[in-house]
Amino acid sequence: MAVWFAEKVLLPQGWATNVRIEISSDGDITSVTPDSVPQGSRLGAIVVPGMPNLHSHSFQRAMAGLTEVALNPADSFWSWRDLMYRLVAKITPQQLETIAHYLYIEMLKAGYTSVAEFHYLHHDPQGNRYPHHEEMALCISNAAHQAGIGLTLLPVLYSHAGFGGQSPSAGQRRFIHDTEGYLSLHDRLSQHLSKVPMQRTGLCFHSLRAVTPEQITEVLSASSHPQPVHIHIAEQKKEVDDCLNWSGQRPVEWLYNNVQVDRNWCLVHATHLTDHETDIIAHSQAVAGLCLTTEANLGDGIFPGQRYVARGGIWGIGSDSHISVSVSEDLRWFEYGQRLHLQRRNRITSAENPFVGDVLYQGALQGGAQALGQRVGRIEVGYRADLLVLNSDDPFIATADDSMRLNRWLFACAANPIQHVMTGGRWVIRDGRHRDDQSLTQKFITVLRELTD
Ligand SMILES: [Zn+2]
């Protein structure tokens, strides 16, 4: 057991002063005592819980920035996807592991201490299974373990190109499973990850267009215990229109009319919603998975955040395509999207708390942890010791009182003030550096050159 001390710590109920924290040898918090005298080792002056990242496609980090070129007057999500499929056709398991390892270290430095990986790149470039079916997924697990980030690995069921069971295209062949193959992959991964600290699996449907209703029923009824269930739900208007043509219902409507959606579910990109759909997601206590910088980058649309938060909806953030890897930028854009849309300021607040930064940070911690199905996101007994130490020499952090500290960080700091990062009770970032920085950077440069030649 280790004893730590910090002057200011963000607890679930708000900032506490002079806090003693005990952490067990397996990385869990075993006691939290505010108003203590200094003792044990010093964590730092200002400590907050690390943020869960609820949506990631690691390999897409390799193409970030390359699609900001106008090639077609109708450039959209769908033309972006063409470039993504060209990248998908090339990536080897070793390249995937290097990209994910590098990215997960970037995440730790940016404040994410755990990640849900929505993993659909399963097979070799011809669409055949690797000799070890789970080879690509294990690269993700290895990368997370080496980086020291918590992982909820979500192997994705992807069977069809569109609603009504349409045959997949050649560009999708590395993704495709039938239900039986998917369940066998999920089973093997679950067994493997149960032996790896800070890692677990969950279930995942790519989208309503990529699976049939029968497949959803089969997969859910095959799983014996509650676990996270993630799906891309309504990212694009075309997807909503296609769903209406297929079923007469919008995607969220269809899902809630046909499946028992509860707190285990995470609806990623619930972007295009009617007021009624917004309210039923909020009422169900499922997590709305918001990927603000990716949704802006792809021109998806704006989630009805003010209405959803006012109704007590649960939400969290994901860096998704990794066009940006920054907790503060994604949180800031949740608020800014609402301001731009509604032409008002300070939209993501609550009746109890008018400080936007507090509502953003605490909201994303709660929803992110729920989506990952892990005991993280709170500095509280029984939770994993995933902690960020902020740089108290940063002028904006140094001069902020309790009520303004998160606002100053999220809205004003130009330089990243995250100085040290701990996951599972162990330091993974010290003074902004990770032990693998030097060896990995050159490897990552080589992979970027190989993939973009
Ligand atoms: Zn996604």
Side-chain angles (χ1 to χ4, degrees):
M1 190 202 68
V3 177
W4 297 92
F5 181 84
E7 283 83 4
K8 285 285 177 187
V9 177
L10 184 66
L11 303 182
Q13 58 275 21
W15 288 100
T17 304
N18 294 332
V19 184
R20 174 193 154 104
I21 301 174
E22 291 180 13
I23 300 174
S24 69
S25 56
D26 50 8
D28 292 333
I29 297 168
T30 53
S31 95
V32 179
T33 316
D35 306 317
S36 298
V37 290
Q39 56 196 293
S41 311
R42 189 161 178 272
L43 275 171
I46 299 164
V47 176
V48 300
M51 184 62 69
N53 183 338
L54 59 63
H55 194 63
S56 164
H57 308 286
S58 287
F59 75 89
Q60 293 177 10
R61 184 65 176 139
M63 61 184 274
L66 296 183
T67 56
E68 317 308 308
V69 185
L71 299 172
N72 174 341
D75 268 342
S76 68
F77 169 88
W78 307 100
S79 54
W80 170 88
R81 196 178 73 161
D82 291 341
L83 185 87
M84 190 265 278
Y85 279 9
R86 289 210 290 282
L87 178 69
V88 153
K90 294 188 194 173
I91 293 180
T92 66
Q94 294 71 28
Q95 289 169 334
L96 177 67
E97 188 164 324
T98 300
I99 297 166
H101 188 175
Y102 188 87
L103 169 68
Y104 291 159
I105 291 171
E106 290 186 291
M107 283 189 194
L108 289 166
K109 292 175 180 176
Y112 292 115
T113 45
S114 51
V115 57
E117 180 72 25
F118 198 106
H119 172 72
Y120 55 82
L121 191 47
H122 300 302
H123 307 308
D124 77 11
Q126 285 70 47
N128 300 314
R129 278 190 197 175
Y130 285 101
H132 295 289
H133 187 177
E134 64 275 38
E135 174 145 0
M136 293 294 264
L138 289 186
C139 292
I140 296 290
S141 167
N142 291 341
H145 184 66
Q146 291 172 65
I149 196 169
L151 175 70
T152 294
L153 182 51
L154 304 160
V156 174
L157 177 58
Y158 198 134
S159 299
H160 302 289
F163 289 97
Q166 295 169 33
S167 299
S169 67
Q172 295 165 335
R173 64 190 164 198
R174 299 192 74 176
F175 316 155
I176 302 301
H177 276 107
D178 58 17
T179 310
E180 195 185 345
Y182 173 74
L183 288 172
S184 133
L185 173 67
H186 182 270
D187 201 41
R188 291 167 74 121
L189 280 176
S190 301
Q191 281 179 31
H192 181 86
L193 266 58
S194 68
K195 301 181 209 102
V196 185
M198 308 200 296
Q199 297 196 3
R200 66 162 301 165
T201 53
L203 297 169
C204 192
F205 305 104
H206 178 271
S207 52
L208 291 179
R209 63 190 145 86
V211 297
T212 63
E214 295 74 27
Q215 289 183 296
I216 295 177
T217 308
E218 282 165 30
V219 167
L220 293 178
S221 57
S223 74
S224 54
H225 58 281
Q227 58 186 311
V229 186
H230 289 224
I231 187 168
H232 291 136
I233 193 67
E235 180 170 13
Q236 289 287 316
K237 280 205 165 125
K238 178 181 184 304
E239 193 173 10
V240 175
D241 293 342
D242 289 351
C243 189
L244 276 165
N245 286 336
W246 165 67
S247 68
Q249 298 166 75
R250 302 165 56 85
V252 170
E253 265 185 311
W254 187 93
L255 189 71
Y256 279 80
N257 285 337
N258 290 277
V259 180
Q260 185 72 39
V261 180
D262 59 19
R263 297 174 57 84
N264 292 308
W265 282 73
C266 178
L267 309 189
V268 180
H269 307 307
T271 309
H272 297 286
L273 302 178
T274 61
D275 286 351
H276 175 64
E277 288 175 310
T278 309
D279 297 351
I280 56 175
I281 301 174
H283 181 71
S284 73
Q285 299 286 286
V287 182
L290 312 180
C291 305
L292 293 307
T293 49
T294 292
E295 288 157 5
N297 183 265
L298 294 178
D300 286 344
I302 295 176
F303 171 75
Q306 180 180 249
R307 183 183 180 97
Y308 184 77
V309 171
R311 279 156 181 72
I314 311 284
W315 60 275
I317 54 170
S319 56
D320 189 3
S321 71
H322 317 297
I323 187 66
S324 160
V325 184
S326 163
V327 168
S328 57
E329 189 175 13
D330 258 75
L331 287 177
R332 193 161 62 234
W333 274 99
F334 185 23
E335 169 65 24
Y336 282 173
Q338 304 301 307
R339 291 188 192 187
L340 289 166
H341 182 60
L342 300 165
Q343 299 179 38
R344 293 282 185 280
R345 300 184 70 252
N346 303 325
R347 297 295 91 190
I348 305 299
T349 59
S350 68
E352 306 78 51
N353 197 335
F355 293 87
V356 178
D358 290 2
V359 177
L360 288 173
Y361 203 79
Q362 297 276 23
L365 287 173
Q366 181 194 352
Q370 184 177 317
L372 265 66
Q374 300 203 23
R375 301 272 289 173
V376 296
R378 295 166 81 92
I379 299 177
E380 193 171 276
V381 172
Y383 284 75
R384 192 163 75 221
D386 287 3
L387 311 172
L388 313 180
V389 179
L390 301 186
N391 180 3
S392 51
D393 292 334
D394 181 291
F396 295 101
I397 302 286
T399 55
D401 64 12
D402 289 357
S403 65
M404 282 299 176
R405 198 167 288 117
L406 289 167
N407 274 347
R408 282 290 213 181
W409 170 23
L410 300 179
F411 289 93
C413 285
N416 177 8
I418 298 168
Q419 191 172 19
H420 313 302
V421 179
M422 174 184 278
T423 59
R426 290 182 179 76
W427 292 116
V428 285
I429 302 293
R430 291 296 276 167
D431 292 314
R433 305 282 300 163
H434 188 282
R435 62 160 190 231
D436 296 339
D437 276 348
Q438 231 175 355
S439 60
L440 198 58
T441 303
Q442 198 50 51
K443 263 175 99 174
F444 184 61
I445 289 172
T446 304
V447 168
L448 286 185
R449 289 215 169 100
E450 287 166 355
L451 289 174
T452 53
D453 260 355

